[in-house]
C-alpha cells in the first residue's frame, strides 16, 4: 500500500503479527501495539504471557482495551487509502467499497458476514463458526459487519453499546447504566431506535407533504399565471374596444365640425362672389353717371340749378361699409360641437361598468347563508339561498356567532385573500342592506354600518333612499331601482364594488381599504313592516353571458 498523507506511515500503523493496518488496536504494558484479535490468538497458542516483539513477561490477568488514539489514526489511514483506490479505479463498484473484511483471516482476506461487539472483531463464515457452536460465544452480541466497530463498543468498559440515555442523548453500555448514568432515563437502544425511526418516518412524511404542497402551489401559480394571461388579453381587447369607440366618437365629431366649417367657408365664398358682382355693376353705373355729370355745362347757372336735384338723387348708392363676411366658425358653433362630443363620450363611458361587470363575474363564488349567524326572527330557505323577516322570534340553538339585535345573517363562506363576487335579488323590497363584513364584528349590541366598524354596506331605506354606508354616509342617485345587486371584493387591492346587474351599471365603490382577517358576505332583509317588506333576499346564480368568461371559469 502507498504511504498515507497523515504524519504516520503504513509501517507505523501495522500490526507486527498480521502485518496489516491495526484493527481494534490494543497496547501491552511494555508499550507495543497489536490487533486485539491477534494478541489474543498469540497468547492462546502460547504457554506463557509475553510480548511478541520484546518477549517481556506480562501479568497473566490484565484488561485489554482498544487504544482509541491509534484506532482513530488507523481508521483515517484506511479511509484515505480507500478514497485513493476508488479514485484511481476506472469504474469502482459501490459494493466493493462498502465491504468489510474478516479480521481473523491471515492470508487471503474474506468478506466478513458478522461483527461481534463482545470480541470487537468482524468474522467471515468460517471464523464465525465458534460463535455458533461454543456456549459462551453464543451469548456474544452479533451485528451486521461494520468497518468502525469501535463505534459500537463502549470505550470505557469495552462492552457493547446496547442502551440509550435519554438525558444525555447518547448510547451507553450496561456498566454505564450502573455508574455515570445510574439516575438517568435509560432504555434499550433498539427501543429508542424504533421510536426515533417512527419520528423520522413522521418527519419524512411531513417533508413529503411539504413537497407535495409546494408542487401543488407551483401548479396553482402556473394556472394563475395562465388565467391572468387570459384575463389580461381579454382586458386588453376590452380596453382597445373602448378606446376605439372613444376615438371613433372623437373623429366623428371632428369630421362633423370640419364639415360645418367647410360649409361656412363655401357659403362665404358664394356671398363674396355675389357682393363682387354687385360692386362691379355699381362701378359701371357710377362710371356712366360720372361721364354724364362731367358733360353738364356749368356756365349756365340757372339750368344747373334746375337739374341739380335730379343729379343728386341719382347719385345715391349702396353703403358697403356695413357689409362683412362671416367665414369663421363662431364660438357658439364650437361650443355646440364640443358639447355634442362630451355627450357622445359620456354615452361611451357609461358602457364601461358593463364591461367591468362582465370581467369581474368570472370571480363568482357559490354563497350560502349561515343559519348559526342568523337573527332569531329571520327565516332561511332549505337551500340556504333565501332570507326573509318573520316578525316572530324563533327558538334557535345558542350560538356565539348569532346576531342578537340586527335582523341580518352572514354567508357561510369567508374569504381572507383573492377576489370573489356574488349576486342578490332585491326586487319587491322597500328596505335592505348588502355587502361584506369582518368576522370580528360585534353581533350582540347595536350595529353601526361603517368601514370603521367592519362593514362595507350599501342599503335602501323608505323605498327610494339609497346610501353607501361610508364615513360619512354617501347618498346615491340611481337612474332606476336595482332589481339584482352584484357585490365584488378584491381583498389585496382593498376594493368593494356594487353593481346594478340588470342595468349593467355601477352603484358605488369602497376603495383603498385595508382588510385584516376574514370577510363574509352580509345580508339584511330588514324588518317585515307588516308585509310591506316581506319579499326575500335571494342569492342567485351568476349568468355568465360572456362566452370567454364561461370558458375561463371552466378552466378553473
Amino acid at each position: 500500500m502507498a504511504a498515507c498523507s497523515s504524519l504516520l506511515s503504513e509501517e507505523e500503523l501495522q500490526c507486527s503479527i498480521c502485518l496489516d493496518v491495526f484493527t481494534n488496536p490494543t497496547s501491552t504494558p511494555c508499550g507495543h501495539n497489536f490487533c486485539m484479535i491477534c494478541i489474543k490468538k498469540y497468547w492462546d497458542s502460547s504457554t506463557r504471557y509475553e510480548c511478541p516483539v520484546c518477549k517481556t513477561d506480562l501479568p497473566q490477568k490484565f484488561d485489554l482495551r482498544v487504544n482509541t488514539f491509534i484506532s482513530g489514526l488507523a481508521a483515517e489511514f484506511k479511509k484515505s487509502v480507500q478514497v485513493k483506490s476508488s479514485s484511481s479505479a476506472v469504474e469502482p463498484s459501490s459494493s466493493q467499497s462498502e465491504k468489510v473484511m474478516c479480521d481473523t483471516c491471515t492470508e487471503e482476506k474474506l468478506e466478513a458476514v458478522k461483527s461481534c461487539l463482545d470480541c470487537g472483531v468482524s468474522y467471515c463464515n468460517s471464523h464465525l463458526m465458534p460463535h455458533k457452536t461454543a456456549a459462551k460465544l453464543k451469548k456474544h452480541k452479533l451485528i451486521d459487519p461494520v468497518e468502525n466497530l469501535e463505534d459500537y463498543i463502549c470505550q470505557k468498559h469495552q462492552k457493547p453499546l446496547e442502551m440509550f440515555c435519554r438525558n444525555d442523548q447518547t448510547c451507553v453500555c450496561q456498566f454505564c447504566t450502573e455508574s455515570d448514568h445510574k439516575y438517568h432515563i435509560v432504555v434499550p437502544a433498539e427501543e429508542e431506535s424504533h421510536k426515533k425511526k417512527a419520528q423520522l418516518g413522521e418527519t419524512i412524511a411531513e417533508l413529503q407533504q411539504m413537497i407535495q404542497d409546494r408542487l401543488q402551489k407551483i401548479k396553482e401559480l402556473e394556472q394563475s399565471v395562465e388565467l391572468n394571461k387570459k384575463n389580461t388579453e381579454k382586458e386588453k381587447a376590452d380596453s382597445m374596444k373602448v378606446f376605439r369607440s372613444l376615438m371613433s366618437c372623437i373623429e366623428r365629431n371632428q369630421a362633423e365640425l370640419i364639415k360645418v366649417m367647410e360649409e361656412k367657408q363655401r357659403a362665404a365664398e358664394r356671398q363674396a362672389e355675389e357682393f363682387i358682382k354687385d360692386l362691379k355693376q355699381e362701378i359701371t353705373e357710377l362710371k356712366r353717371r360720372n361721364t354724364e355729370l362731367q358733360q353738364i355745362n356749368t356756365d349756365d347757372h340757372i339750368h344747373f340749378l334746375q337739374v341739380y336735384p335730379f343729379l343728386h338723387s341719382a347719385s345715391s348708392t349702396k353703403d358697403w361699409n356695413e357689409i362683412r363676411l362671416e367665414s369663421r366658425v363662431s364660438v357658439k358653433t364650437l361650443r355646440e360641437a364640443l358639447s355634442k362630443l362630451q355627450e357622445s363620450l359620456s354615452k361611451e363611458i357609461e358602457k364601461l361598468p358593463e364591461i367591468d361587470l362582465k370581467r369581474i363575474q368570472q370571480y363568482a363564488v357559490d354563497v350560502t347563508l349561515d343559519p348559526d349567524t342568523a337573527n332569531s326572527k329571520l327565516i332561511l330557505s332549505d337551500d340556504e339561498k333565501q332570507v326573509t323577516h318573520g316578525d316572530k322570534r324563533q327558538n334557535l340553538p345558542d350560538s356565539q356567532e348569532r346576531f342578537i339585535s340586527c335582523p341580518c345573517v352572514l354567508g357561510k363562506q369567508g374569504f381572507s385573500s383573492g377576489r370573489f363576487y356574488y349576486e342578490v335579488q332585491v326586487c319587491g323590497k322597500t328596505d335592505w342592506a348588502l355587502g361584506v363584513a369582518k368576522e370580528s364584528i360585534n353581533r350582540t349590541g347595536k350595529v353601526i354600518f361603517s368601514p370603521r366598524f367592519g362593514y362595507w354596506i350599501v342599503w335602501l331605506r323608505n323605498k327610494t333612499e339609497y346610501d353607501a354606508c361610508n364615513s360619512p354616509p354617501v347618498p346615491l342617485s340611481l337612474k332606476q331601482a336595482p332589481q339584482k345587486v352584484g357585490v365584488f371584493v378584491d381583498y389585496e387591492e382593498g376594493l368593494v364594488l356594487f353593481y346594478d346587474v340588470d342595468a349593467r351599471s355601477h352603484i358605488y365603490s369602497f376603495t383603498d381599504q385595508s382588510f385584516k382577517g376574514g370577510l363574509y358576505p352580509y345580508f339584511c332583509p330588514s324588518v317585515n313592516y307588516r308585509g310591506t317588506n316581506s319579499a326575500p333576499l335571494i342569492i342567485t346564480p351568476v349568468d355568465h353571458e360572456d362566452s370567454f368568461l364561461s370558458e375561463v371559469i371552466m378552466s378553473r
Side-chain angles (χ1 to χ4, degrees):
M1 282 193 279
C4 176
S5 59
S6 63
L7 296 177
L8 295 178
S9 65
E10 179 181 353
E11 289 75 14
E12 291 173 299
L13 295 171
Q14 195 175 68
C15 174
S16 57
I17 298 177
C18 66
L19 301 179
D20 203 348
V21 178
F22 290 121
T23 299
N24 296 326
T26 186
S27 301
T28 59
C30 59
H32 293 101
N33 302 307
F34 308 94
C35 296
M36 185 175 289
I37 188 65
C38 293
I39 190 65
K40 284 183 177 180
K41 286 180 62 178
Y42 178 81
W43 285 336
D44 288 342
S45 62
S46 177
T47 56
R48 63 178 189 159
Y49 284 91
E50 65 176 6
C51 175
V53 177
C54 64
K55 304 301 181 182
T56 300
D57 289 333
L58 301 173
Q60 291 188 1
K61 291 185 178 180
F62 68 92
D63 291 334
L64 284 175
R65 298 185 179 181
V66 175
N67 188 318
T68 57
F69 177 72
I70 298 176
S71 177
L73 292 177
E76 288 296 324
F77 180 83
K78 290 180 180 180
K79 187 183 296 183
S80 64
V81 171
Q82 188 177 22
V83 169
K84 285 187 177 181
S85 62
S86 62
S87 62
S88 61
V90 179
E91 290 184 354
S93 170
S94 60
S95 61
Q96 290 178 348
S97 63
E98 296 172 357
K99 286 181 179 179
V100 177
M101 309 310 292
C102 177
D103 295 321
T104 309
C105 294
T106 56
E107 295 180 358
E108 182 183 356
K109 291 280 187 179
L110 299 179
E111 184 178 353
V113 293
K114 290 290 181 181
S115 293
C116 178
L117 296 181
D118 292 273
C119 300
V121 176
S122 297
Y123 297 103
C124 62
N125 265 323
S126 59
H127 290 111
L128 186 64
M129 288 304 297
H131 282 74
K132 297 179 179 180
T133 56
K136 291 183 177 181
L137 295 180
K138 283 183 178 181
K139 298 179 181 179
H140 285 192
K141 180 71 174 179
L142 297 176
I143 62 172
D144 291 333
V146 292
E147 180 68 29
N148 299 324
L149 194 54
E150 61 272 14
D151 294 341
Y152 296 80
I153 300 173
C154 176
Q155 299 301 310
K156 183 176 181 179
H157 302 105
Q158 297 302 310
K159 294 296 180 181
L161 298 172
E162 298 179 306
M163 311 298 288
F164 183 82
C165 176
R166 288 181 176 172
N167 295 68
D168 297 332
Q169 291 292 300
T170 185
C171 293
V172 296
C173 70
Q174 188 64 42
F175 289 110
C176 291
T177 63
E178 299 171 0
S179 56
D180 296 343
H181 301 268
K182 185 175 182 180
Y183 299 105
H184 292 180
I185 300 175
V186 179
V187 296
E190 186 176 356
E191 177 185 331
E192 187 67 18
S193 176
H194 288 322
K195 178 182 177 181
K196 292 197 180 305
K197 282 180 180 179
Q199 294 175 348
L200 180 62
E202 292 175 359
T203 303
I204 292 173
E206 290 176 2
L207 290 174
Q208 291 176 344
Q209 185 59 48
M210 290 171 67
I211 292 170
Q212 292 301 318
D213 292 343
R214 281 148 181 77
L215 289 173
Q216 180 62 29
K217 191 62 179 179
I218 290 174
K219 185 178 179 181
E220 290 176 1
L221 289 172
E222 289 175 344
Q223 291 176 345
S224 179
V225 168
E226 187 62 27
L227 180 59
N228 286 340
K229 183 178 179 181
K230 290 181 179 180
N231 291 342
T232 300
E233 292 300 321
K234 182 62 173 65
E235 289 177 4
K236 283 166 60 177
D238 289 341
S239 300
M240 291 301 296
K241 182 179 178 181
V242 170
F243 278 98
R244 278 197 299 268
S245 297
L246 295 176
M247 291 298 294
S248 176
C249 181
I250 294 172
E251 290 170 356
R252 185 170 60 252
N253 280 267
Q254 182 187 36
E256 291 176 359
L257 180 59
I258 291 174
K259 183 179 179 181
V260 170
M261 294 169 66
E262 290 176 347
E263 288 178 352
K264 284 183 174 292
Q265 175 63 25
R266 286 193 292 270
E269 290 174 357
R270 289 193 298 269
Q271 188 180 32
E273 289 174 358
E274 292 176 359
F275 287 160
I276 291 171
K277 181 180 178 181
D278 291 344
L279 285 168
K280 285 181 178 180
Q281 289 177 354
E282 285 195 12
I283 290 171
T284 301
E285 181 63 23
L286 290 172
K287 285 181 178 179
R288 184 187 61 79
R289 292 174 61 194
N290 182 55
T291 301
E292 290 178 354
L293 291 175
Q294 287 180 354
Q295 292 174 356
I296 294 175
N297 183 2
T298 58
D299 294 337
D300 188 344
H301 301 293
I302 300 300
H303 177 71
F304 176 77
L305 292 172
Q306 290 175 343
V307 299
Y308 181 79
F310 299 100
L311 295 175
H312 184 267
S313 60
S315 63
S316 62
T317 58
K318 189 175 182 179
D319 185 5
W320 290 93
N321 291 327
E322 302 298 327
I323 297 176
R324 295 285 186 275
L325 289 178
E326 295 295 336
S327 60
R328 294 180 302 158
V329 177
S330 66
V331 174
K332 180 182 178 182
T333 304
L334 185 58
R335 283 188 176 277
E336 288 176 351
L338 291 176
S339 178
K340 186 177 180 181
L341 173 61
Q342 186 177 11
E343 183 180 349
S344 299
L345 290 177
S346 297
K347 289 181 179 179
E348 292 296 329
I349 292 173
E350 284 178 358
K351 298 177 182 178
L352 289 178
E354 178 177 353
I355 297 171
D356 233 5
L357 184 58
K358 286 183 178 180
R359 190 176 76 249
I360 66 176
Q361 281 179 330
Q362 66 179 289
Y363 299 105
V365 294
D366 183 20
V367 175
T368 54
L369 302 171
D370 185 357
D372 291 337
T373 67
N375 180 276
S376 60
K377 290 186 179 181
L378 296 185
I379 301 173
L380 275 57
S381 62
D382 292 339
D383 61 358
E384 298 176 342
K385 292 286 187 178
Q386 301 184 31
V387 57
T388 187
H389 191 269
D391 283 330
K392 295 181 180 179
R393 191 176 301 277
Q394 303 174 80
N395 186 18
L396 299 175
D398 292 336
S399 172
Q400 294 181 348
E401 290 80 24
R402 192 178 307 284
F403 287 93
I404 303 302
S405 58
C406 183
C408 54
V409 59
L410 297 181
K412 279 185 179 179
Q413 296 74 20
F415 304 88
S416 56
S417 64
R419 302 168 180 174
F420 63 94
Y421 173 81
Y422 66 93
E423 294 178 352
V424 182
Q425 181 178 304
V426 297
C427 62
K429 296 194 67 60
T430 59
D431 289 68
W432 53 259
L434 290 173
V436 290
K438 290 175 65 174
E439 185 178 12
S440 59
I441 53 175
N442 179 20
R443 309 184 191 196
T444 58
K446 182 180 179 181
V447 173
I448 302 176
F449 288 150
S450 167
R452 178 183 173 188
F453 295 97
Y455 293 91
W456 291 266
I457 302 296
V458 166
W459 71 7
L460 167 65
R461 288 292 180 269
N462 302 322
K463 297 183 181 181
T464 59
E465 298 174 8
Y466 293 92
D467 289 306
C469 300
N470 212 328
S471 300
V474 179
L476 303 176
S477 178
L478 305 181
K479 292 182 178 180
Q480 62 186 43
Q483 303 299 300
K484 186 186 295 184
V485 177
V487 182
F488 171 73
V489 176
D490 188 325
Y491 195 97
E492 282 71 24
E493 292 294 328
L495 293 177
V496 182
L497 310 181
F498 295 85
Y499 288 88
D500 182 335
V501 177
D502 295 330
R504 318 296 285 180
S505 61
H506 174 253
I507 295 177
Y508 187 76
S509 295
F510 291 92
T511 59
D512 300 324
Q513 305 298 305
S514 180
F515 301 130
K516 291 181 180 179
L519 289 181
Y520 286 79
Y522 176 91
F523 309 86
C524 178
S526 195
V527 180
N528 195 352
Y529 296 124
R530 297 182 179 180
T532 59
N533 189 39
S534 60
L537 290 178
I538 304 174
I539 303 171
T540 60
V542 176
D543 182 14
H544 302 280
E545 294 181 359
D546 194 315
S547 60
F548 168 80
L549 295 177
S550 299
E551 184 178 313
V552 170
I553 292 169
M554 290 297 291
S555 68
R556 295 180 69 189

